[in-house]
Amino acid sequence: MDKLKITGGRPLEGEVQVSGAKNAALPIMCAALLSAKPLALTNVPRLRDVSTMARLLAQMGVAVERSEHSTVLHAKAITDPTATYELVKTMRASVLVLGPLLARCGEAKVSLPGGCAIGARPVDQHVKGLQAMGATISIEHGYMQASARRLRGARIVMDLVTVTGTENLMMAAALAEGETLLENAAREPEVLDLARCLGAMGAKIEGAGSDVIRIQGVRSLGGAEHRVMPDRIETGTYLAAAAAAGGKIRLTGAAPKTLDATLDKLREAGSKIIVTESSIEIETARRPVAVSVRTAPYPAFATDMQAQFMALACVADGTALITETIFENRFMHAIELQRLGADIRLEGNTAVVRGVERLQGAGVMATDLRASAGLVIAALVAEGDTVVDRIYHLDRGYEGLEKKLGLLGARIERIA
Ligand code: EPU
């Protein structure tokens, strides 16, 4: 069952609940490696990436107990500080175990992630930061072999803004000796959520959510309970779907404050949006107006929302420029969208999208997680049937996508 059949043309109506954030849950699960005491998490999304992370941690000796949306991780002893290529290649976020393992065990062996569909994605900033904290890291047979007696605090100026790089170094610094200053740190809300969890475990962290994070290392961390923040990209994906398909939907359990750039763009496209502390309602009465976006680190427009906005631009009134500045190869959905009748011209890192009155259903192929989400949105507005192949990409990051879209009235089913 790895295809989705979507029959387009219906506006979306109804209410669905947002899941916990994949990109917060993954680093937070790794934080469990830093303590011998249990870390109890709630609002954990049921996703393939979360299962992969649970398996990776279990291989290291972490006891993992999972129920519906809760997970308890207990790293009483770490038996094998290794992340194998078999798991790392399926999920790049596995590199997030490097900092915690090194800080807790003084050694780690983590596979190099290699490239992926959206670009080269090196980890040099993770390595450089840990080296500045006193780690010795060599590359042997495709693995990063790292060791350190005890990491020492350091002042680290990152060459570029990296989300998992910031998270890896913040976790390592939590147990280092002395103070670490991370400059040019990522300001993504997921970094802040991780810092909150680490704080609950006893870490001393100031400034998370800004571009300078100050961490005072402690000898050991304790157990904690933490609720994973809502997924802002899942939220944004349903909002973009509703803006493209029309209608009125309400998302509950959301964190509207983390979505400013997306909400601004949707308003610019002509949707009416009402937010409360934890819900967002979007109503779209007319064909959307073309809006241009340029991806950049938070709080600017997220690269993880780019494909969904390209799909929206495909049916908008006017021409939109979609510029990708984070990843060098994140336009693979453009070719597939063209199969649905979209008018897209690629010029370097900009896609020039001329909205058409209607798209036509066709067979398309998902290439990565967010590209798949863009294809689903286009399929919802296309005439007739679209079959999206290779939807295992979607299962990595969207909990119950077809169920939730079904609740909103979409005609969508999983087929073999
Ligand atoms: N980069 C380097 N060197 C490094 C690290 C990053 O050159 O050591 C470059 C990357 O190649 C990229 C840019 O820096 O061009 C930014 O990458 P970043 O490190 O911020 O990405 P990431 O941490 O690997 C996270 C999310 C991605 C999201 C990006 C950007 C997680 C688990 N993943 O990846 O999410 O696109 O930040 O916001 O947090 C997704 O959910 O579909 C997804 C890909």
Side-chain angles (χ1 to χ4, degrees):
M1 299 291 261
D2 62 353
K3 296 189 182 92
L4 272 184
K5 183 175 149 210
I6 298 166
T7 309
R10 248 196 214 165
L12 300 182
E13 304 280 347
E15 178 174 310
V16 288
Q17 179 146 11
V18 172
S19 296
K22 165 179 87 81
N23 289 348
L26 296 175
I28 287 169
M29 290 172 78
C30 294
L33 291 168
L34 291 165
S35 169
K37 296 277 159 46
L39 178 62
L41 304 175
T42 53
N43 205 30
V44 179
R46 289 178 71 88
L47 297 170
R48 185 184 310 206
D49 274 7
V50 168
S51 306
T52 305
M53 186 59 87
R55 251 192 310 147
L56 184 65
L57 296 175
Q59 278 181 2
M60 296 171 183
V62 179
V64 182
E65 253 178 67
R66 292 182 75 189
S67 54
E68 190 72 352
H69 288 107
S70 305
T71 301
V72 180
L73 300 158
H74 192 180
K76 201 166 177 183
I78 293 168
T79 47
D80 183 11
T82 302
T84 62
Y85 180 57
E86 280 57 48
L87 286 182
V88 176
K89 74 175 180 207
T90 66
M91 186 183 66
R92 296 184 44 91
S94 311
V95 74
L96 281 163
V97 300
L98 179 62
L101 283 177
L102 199 50
R104 170 93 183 272
C105 313
E107 57 171 331
K109 184 180 169 192
V110 177
S111 170
L112 280 169
C116 74
I118 62 178
R121 302 184 78 182
V123 289
D124 56 298
Q125 297 302 308
H126 305 234
V127 170
K128 195 180 110 178
L130 292 170
Q131 283 171 336
M133 295 168 79
T136 305
I137 303 181
S138 59
I139 309 290
E140 285 163 34
H141 304 288
Y143 279 79
M144 291 180 277
Q145 194 87 48
S147 62
R149 284 177 67 87
R150 183 177 176 201
L151 294 171
R152 316 181 285 275
R155 178 173 168 234
I156 300 165
V157 184
M158 315 252 236
D159 296 341
L160 47 81
V161 177
T162 156
V163 179
T164 51
T166 302
E167 292 165 343
N168 229 338
L169 298 181
M170 191 164 75
M171 287 191 277
L175 285 184
E177 187 180 347
E179 182 175 279
T180 298
L181 207 57
L182 294 180
E183 296 186 32
N184 199 22
R187 291 180 283 168
E188 268 66 6
E190 292 76 13
V191 174
L192 180 57
D193 204 33
L194 170 64
R196 285 204 185 108
C197 176
L198 291 168
M201 293 167 72
K204 295 202 161 61
I205 301 175
E206 280 172 25
S210 79
D211 60 357
V212 180
I213 306 177
R214 189 182 292 272
I215 305 125
Q216 202 70 52
V218 295
R219 266 267 162 217
S220 66
L221 293 173
E225 289 175 9
H226 181 79
R227 182 176 170 83
V228 176
M229 67 174 280
D231 197 314
R232 64 193 168 100
I233 307 300
E234 186 201 23
T235 308
T237 299
Y238 288 111
L239 293 173
K248 182 176 173 181
I249 69 166
R250 187 159 179 272
L251 300 169
T252 58
K257 285 194 184 116
T258 61
L259 277 141
D260 284 344
T262 298
L263 296 180
D264 279 352
K265 288 292 171 186
L266 290 169
R267 287 194 181 100
E268 201 181 316
S271 296
K272 207 174 110 194
I273 293 171
I274 301 170
V275 302
T276 67
E277 192 59 28
S278 63
S279 76
I280 306 179
E281 193 175 272
I282 180 167
E283 184 173 3
T284 308
R286 280 182 303 278
R287 182 178 175 197
V289 175
V291 290
S292 295
V293 297
R294 181 184 179 84
T295 67
Y298 191 85
F301 188 85
T303 174
D304 288 343
M305 284 303 303
Q306 181 257 106
Q308 299 88 318
F309 268 68
M310 189 183 294
L312 178 63
C314 287
V315 291
D317 186 5
T319 299
L321 302 183
I322 311 281
T323 304
E324 173 60 53
T325 76
I326 306 289
F327 293 110
E328 68 269 26
N329 188 25
R330 213 176 194 182
F331 276 157
M332 306 238 284
H333 41 284
I335 321 295
E336 299 298 308
L337 289 168
Q338 283 168 348
R339 291 185 43 74
L340 300 174
D343 180 349
I344 304 173
R345 199 174 70 244
L346 295 181
E347 289 180 3
N349 68 341
T350 296
V352 182
V353 187
R354 276 198 0 208
V356 295
E357 290 266 351
R358 50 185 62 83
L359 297 172
Q360 292 150 19
V364 289
M365 192 81 86
T367 49
D368 74 75
L369 171 57
R370 308 304 171 187
S372 322
L375 296 178
V376 169
I377 292 174
L380 289 172
V381 289
E383 267 174 2
D385 292 347
T386 296
V387 175
V388 185
D389 200 350
R390 295 202 186 151
I391 52 153
Y392 51 83
H393 290 293
L394 281 169
D395 295 331
R396 290 187 47 201
Y398 289 94
E399 177 175 337
L401 179 92
E402 69 266 31
K403 190 168 151 228
K404 288 187 184 181
L405 281 174
L407 279 171
L408 297 175
R411 289 169 291 186
I412 180 166
E413 59 177 319
R414 204 173 269 251
I415 58 173

